[in-house]
Amino acid sequence: MITAALVFAFGCYGLGLLFNLWRIVNGPNSADRILALDTMVINIIALLILYGILRGTAVYYEVSMLVAMVGFVSTVAYSRFLLRGDVIE
Amino acid sequence: MSAVLDMIGGLLMVGGAAFLALGGLGLVRMPDTWTRIQAGTKATTLGTLLTLAGIALIEPGWALKLALIVLFLMFTNPLSSQVLARAAHRAGLKPAPQTRADALADDEGRAAE
């Protein structure tokens, strides 16, 4: 039961990541690409924890926490770059 | 009891994964940047929260740690989408032709007067 739910969830996550990748490859401008990267990071946070459930280990929890923090900071930095043209003033 | 929790958790997990896939579909299908932002951030936030809630039901020992990630996501996702939307607006991207109102442009026009 849990295994079937996990397999379905992995399929859905792969589909969502493929859609995000499509938007990164031919997004018309850089704001769309930043948005697709941000969405990808959110997907990967949950995907890592699902993988931890599958393997029965809690190591991936820390990894996904780090990915969440780095993803947030990088999205804000990209947006600042779009806004100002440089990140560090 | 544990079997019931497993079943509810599995259902939540499947629902969250479906939300994430549909959010990705919205990212591909929506007409302009702002509608894509609302598909790509709101739907995926809900999907991730549902998935993490399902996992917390399946593995009750992880619930506190997962609550930390949920809290972090609930703080940062709206922030990053707002920053991104304002950057896109400031970069001068044009909205889709059927857009009716642009409150930020109205505000800035009023501030400039």
Side-chain angles (χ1 to χ4, degrees):
Chain A
M1 165 71 202
I2 292 294
T3 318
L6 273 176
V7 169
F8 179 80
F10 279 129
C12 280
Y13 278 68
L15 204 62
L17 285 173
L18 276 182
F19 284 142
N20 294 345
L21 197 63
W22 188 88
R23 181 52 74 193
I24 288 180
V25 169
N26 48 0
N29 50 57
S30 47
D32 285 321
R33 295 201 171 93
I34 298 169
L35 169 69
L37 273 177
D38 186 48
T39 314
M40 221 174 204
V41 166
I42 300 173
N43 277 14
I44 285 170
I45 293 166
L47 190 57
L48 278 171
I49 296 197
L50 277 187
Y51 189 65
I53 285 277
L54 186 70
R55 301 293 299 266
T57 162
V59 176
Y60 292 96
Y61 164 77
E62 276 83 12
V63 182
S64 80
M65 195 77 201
L66 280 178
V67 168
M69 289 176 178
V70 172
F72 169 63
V73 172
S74 68
T75 303
V76 173
Y78 279 137
S79 303
R80 262 189 100 74
F81 176 73
L82 206 64
L83 204 60
R84 295 272 166 82
D86 62 0
V87 181
I88 304 163
E89 297 182 341
Chain B
M1 189 60 202
S2 166
V4 176
L5 278 187
D6 273 9
M7 205 162 116
I8 299 174
L11 282 180
L12 279 181
M13 210 160 74
V14 165
F19 261 106
L20 276 164
L22 291 177
L25 184 64
L27 213 63
V28 171
R29 295 273 304 161
M30 286 289 185
D32 69 351
T33 306
W34 286 276
T35 48
R36 269 178 227 139
I37 284 174
Q38 81 99 24
T41 353
K42 282 186 202 165
T44 53
T45 306
L46 180 62
T48 312
L49 295 194
L50 280 181
T51 308
L52 294 185
I55 294 174
L57 285 183
I58 293 173
E59 294 263 354
W62 293 16
L64 216 61
K65 293 160 115 187
L66 292 174
L68 206 63
I69 289 192
V70 165
L71 207 66
F72 186 78
L73 280 179
M74 283 171 78
F75 273 112
T76 56
N77 269 349
L79 253 178
S80 63
S81 80
Q82 192 265 345
V83 169
L84 181 58
R86 205 179 48 168
H89 192 273
R90 201 66 65 82
L93 297 182
K94 292 275 170 282
Q98 59 266 43
T99 306
R100 294 265 183 88
D102 187 348
L104 183 54
D106 293 349
D107 256 15
E108 280 172 351
R110 209 172 300 136
E113 278 171 11

PDB file of all heavy atoms in Angstrom, chain B residues 78-93:
ATOM      1  N   PRO B  78       5.915  32.290  -0.101  1.00  0.00           N
ATOM      2  CA  PRO B  78       5.251  33.532  -0.511  1.00  0.00           C
ATOM      3  C   PRO B  78       6.229  34.677  -0.699  1.00  0.00           C
ATOM      4  O   PRO B  78       6.098  35.466  -1.632  1.00  0.00           O
ATOM      5  CB  PRO B  78       4.282  33.815   0.638  1.00  0.00           C
ATOM      6  CG  PRO B  78       4.128  32.557   1.351  1.00  0.00           C
ATOM      7  CD  PRO B  78       5.401  31.827   1.190  1.00  0.00           C
ATOM      8  N   LEU B  79       7.263  34.722   0.172  1.00  0.00           N
ATOM      9  CA  LEU B  79       8.265  35.787   0.063  1.00  0.00           C
ATOM     10  C   LEU B  79       8.971  35.732  -1.279  1.00  0.00           C
ATOM     11  O   LEU B  79       9.074  36.745  -1.984  1.00  0.00           O
ATOM     12  CB  LEU B  79       9.299  35.595   1.172  1.00  0.00           C
ATOM     13  CG  LEU B  79       9.266  36.560   2.340  1.00  0.00           C
ATOM     14  CD1 LEU B  79      10.329  36.158   3.332  1.00  0.00           C
ATOM     15  CD2 LEU B  79       9.522  37.942   1.829  1.00  0.00           C
ATOM     16  N   SER B  80       9.448  34.520  -1.651  1.00  0.00           N
ATOM     17  CA  SER B  80      10.228  34.447  -2.889  1.00  0.00           C
ATOM     18  C   SER B  80       9.341  34.723  -4.089  1.00  0.00           C
ATOM     19  O   SER B  80       9.784  35.362  -5.047  1.00  0.00           O
ATOM     20  CB  SER B  80      10.914  33.093  -3.004  1.00  0.00           C
ATOM     21  OG  SER B  80       9.974  32.073  -3.090  1.00  0.00           O
ATOM     22  N   SER B  81       8.064  34.268  -4.051  1.00  0.00           N
ATOM     23  CA  SER B  81       7.210  34.534  -5.208  1.00  0.00           C
ATOM     24  C   SER B  81       6.904  36.024  -5.314  1.00  0.00           C
ATOM     25  O   SER B  81       6.840  36.576  -6.405  1.00  0.00           O
ATOM     26  CB  SER B  81       5.920  33.729  -5.105  1.00  0.00           C
ATOM     27  OG  SER B  81       5.016  34.349  -4.251  1.00  0.00           O
ATOM     28  N   GLN B  82       6.764  36.709  -4.162  1.00  0.00           N
ATOM     29  CA  GLN B  82       6.496  38.148  -4.211  1.00  0.00           C
ATOM     30  C   GLN B  82       7.693  38.901  -4.765  1.00  0.00           C
ATOM     31  O   GLN B  82       7.549  39.787  -5.623  1.00  0.00           O
ATOM     32  CB  GLN B  82       6.144  38.636  -2.798  1.00  0.00           C
ATOM     33  CG  GLN B  82       5.575  40.033  -2.756  1.00  0.00           C
ATOM     34  CD  GLN B  82       6.623  41.085  -2.490  1.00  0.00           C
ATOM     35  OE1 GLN B  82       7.725  40.775  -2.075  1.00  0.00           O
ATOM     36  NE2 GLN B  82       6.274  42.315  -2.765  1.00  0.00           N
ATOM     37  N   VAL B  83       8.902  38.537  -4.293  1.00  0.00           N
ATOM     38  CA  VAL B  83      10.120  39.204  -4.783  1.00  0.00           C
ATOM     39  C   VAL B  83      10.265  38.996  -6.286  1.00  0.00           C
ATOM     40  O   VAL B  83      10.573  39.925  -7.038  1.00  0.00           O
ATOM     41  CB  VAL B  83      11.334  38.655  -4.014  1.00  0.00           C
ATOM     42  CG1 VAL B  83      12.612  39.122  -4.664  1.00  0.00           C
ATOM     43  CG2 VAL B  83      11.309  39.099  -2.581  1.00  0.00           C
ATOM     44  N   LEU B  84       9.993  37.746  -6.728  1.00  0.00           N
ATOM     45  CA  LEU B  84      10.128  37.431  -8.147  1.00  0.00           C
ATOM     46  C   LEU B  84       9.108  38.199  -8.981  1.00  0.00           C
ATOM     47  O   LEU B  84       9.435  38.741 -10.046  1.00  0.00           O
ATOM     48  CB  LEU B  84       9.954  35.926  -8.337  1.00  0.00           C
ATOM     49  CG  LEU B  84      10.080  35.414  -9.749  1.00  0.00           C
ATOM     50  CD1 LEU B  84      11.431  35.778 -10.294  1.00  0.00           C
ATOM     51  CD2 LEU B  84       9.896  33.929  -9.774  1.00  0.00           C
ATOM     52  N   ALA B  85       7.861  38.294  -8.470  1.00  0.00           N
ATOM     53  CA  ALA B  85       6.824  39.002  -9.221  1.00  0.00           C
ATOM     54  C   ALA B  85       7.169  40.477  -9.337  1.00  0.00           C
ATOM     55  O   ALA B  85       6.999  41.097 -10.394  1.00  0.00           O
ATOM     56  CB  ALA B  85       5.468  38.820  -8.541  1.00  0.00           C
ATOM     57  N   ARG B  86       7.698  41.071  -8.253  1.00  0.00           N
ATOM     58  CA  ARG B  86       8.040  42.491  -8.323  1.00  0.00           C
ATOM     59  C   ARG B  86       9.212  42.722  -9.272  1.00  0.00           C
ATOM     60  O   ARG B  86       9.235  43.699 -10.017  1.00  0.00           O
ATOM     61  CB  ARG B  86       8.382  43.013  -6.927  1.00  0.00           C
ATOM     62  CG  ARG B  86       8.148  44.489  -6.846  1.00  0.00           C
ATOM     63  CD  ARG B  86       8.449  44.997  -5.504  1.00  0.00           C
ATOM     64  NE  ARG B  86       9.736  44.494  -5.044  1.00  0.00           N
ATOM     65  CZ  ARG B  86      10.359  44.957  -3.977  1.00  0.00           C
ATOM     66  NH1 ARG B  86       9.794  45.887  -3.259  1.00  0.00           N
ATOM     67  NH2 ARG B  86      11.507  44.468  -3.601  1.00  0.00           N
ATOM     68  N   ALA B  87      10.190  41.778  -9.253  1.00  0.00           N
ATOM     69  CA  ALA B  87      11.321  41.918 -10.170  1.00  0.00           C
ATOM     70  C   ALA B  87      10.848  41.827 -11.617  1.00  0.00           C
ATOM     71  O   ALA B  87      11.299  42.589 -12.473  1.00  0.00           O
ATOM     72  CB  ALA B  87      12.367  40.855  -9.879  1.00  0.00           C
ATOM     73  N   ALA B  88       9.922  40.888 -11.892  1.00  0.00           N
ATOM     74  CA  ALA B  88       9.418  40.748 -13.257  1.00  0.00           C
ATOM     75  C   ALA B  88       8.660  42.000 -13.675  1.00  0.00           C
ATOM     76  O   ALA B  88       8.765  42.475 -14.810  1.00  0.00           O
ATOM     77  CB  ALA B  88       8.512  39.522 -13.356  1.00  0.00           C
ATOM     78  N   HIS B  89       7.890  42.583 -12.736  1.00  0.00           N
ATOM     79  CA  HIS B  89       7.139  43.801 -13.043  1.00  0.00           C
ATOM     80  C   HIS B  89       8.083  44.946 -13.333  1.00  0.00           C
ATOM     81  O   HIS B  89       7.883  45.713 -14.285  1.00  0.00           O
ATOM     82  CB  HIS B  89       6.227  44.131 -11.861  1.00  0.00           C
ATOM     83  CG  HIS B  89       5.214  45.179 -12.174  1.00  0.00           C
ATOM     84  ND1 HIS B  89       5.481  46.511 -12.044  1.00  0.00           N
ATOM     85  CD2 HIS B  89       3.946  45.086 -12.621  1.00  0.00           C
ATOM     86  CE1 HIS B  89       4.404  47.206 -12.394  1.00  0.00           C
ATOM     87  NE2 HIS B  89       3.464  46.353 -12.744  1.00  0.00           N
ATOM     88  N   ARG B  90       9.147  45.051 -12.509  1.00  0.00           N
ATOM     89  CA  ARG B  90      10.104  46.138 -12.684  1.00  0.00           C
ATOM     90  C   ARG B  90      10.904  45.958 -13.966  1.00  0.00           C
ATOM     91  O   ARG B  90      11.348  46.936 -14.568  1.00  0.00           O
ATOM     92  CB  ARG B  90      11.030  46.168 -11.465  1.00  0.00           C
ATOM     93  CG  ARG B  90      11.738  47.462 -11.221  1.00  0.00           C
ATOM     94  CD  ARG B  90      10.797  48.584 -10.846  1.00  0.00           C
ATOM     95  NE  ARG B  90      10.119  48.370  -9.580  1.00  0.00           N
ATOM     96  CZ  ARG B  90      10.671  48.629  -8.393  1.00  0.00           C
ATOM     97  NH1 ARG B  90      11.878  49.085  -8.317  1.00  0.00           N
ATOM     98  NH2 ARG B  90       9.976  48.446  -7.285  1.00  0.00           N
ATOM     99  N   ALA B  91      11.071  44.694 -14.396  1.00  0.00           N
ATOM    100  CA  ALA B  91      11.807  44.445 -15.631  1.00  0.00           C
ATOM    101  C   ALA B  91      10.973  44.795 -16.861  1.00  0.00           C
ATOM    102  O   ALA B  91      11.483  44.729 -17.970  1.00  0.00           O
ATOM    103  CB  ALA B  91      12.255  42.988 -15.698  1.00  0.00           C
ATOM    104  N   GLY B  92       9.691  45.135 -16.652  1.00  0.00           N
ATOM    105  CA  GLY B  92       8.874  45.608 -17.765  1.00  0.00           C
ATOM    106  C   GLY B  92       8.260  44.520 -18.608  1.00  0.00           C
ATOM    107  O   GLY B  92       7.965  44.745 -19.777  1.00  0.00           O
ATOM    108  N   LEU B  93       8.049  43.324 -18.053  1.00  0.00           N
ATOM    109  CA  LEU B  93       7.373  42.268 -18.809  1.00  0.00           C
ATOM    110  C   LEU B  93       5.919  42.643 -19.022  1.00  0.00           C
ATOM    111  O   LEU B  93       5.290  43.252 -18.160  1.00  0.00           O
ATOM    112  CB  LEU B  93       7.462  40.942 -18.058  1.00  0.00           C
ATOM    113  CG  LEU B  93       8.858  40.393 -17.841  1.00  0.00           C
ATOM    114  CD1 LEU B  93       8.775  39.067 -17.130  1.00  0.00           C
ATOM    115  CD2 LEU B  93       9.550  40.224 -19.164  1.00  0.00           C
TER     116      LEU B  93
END
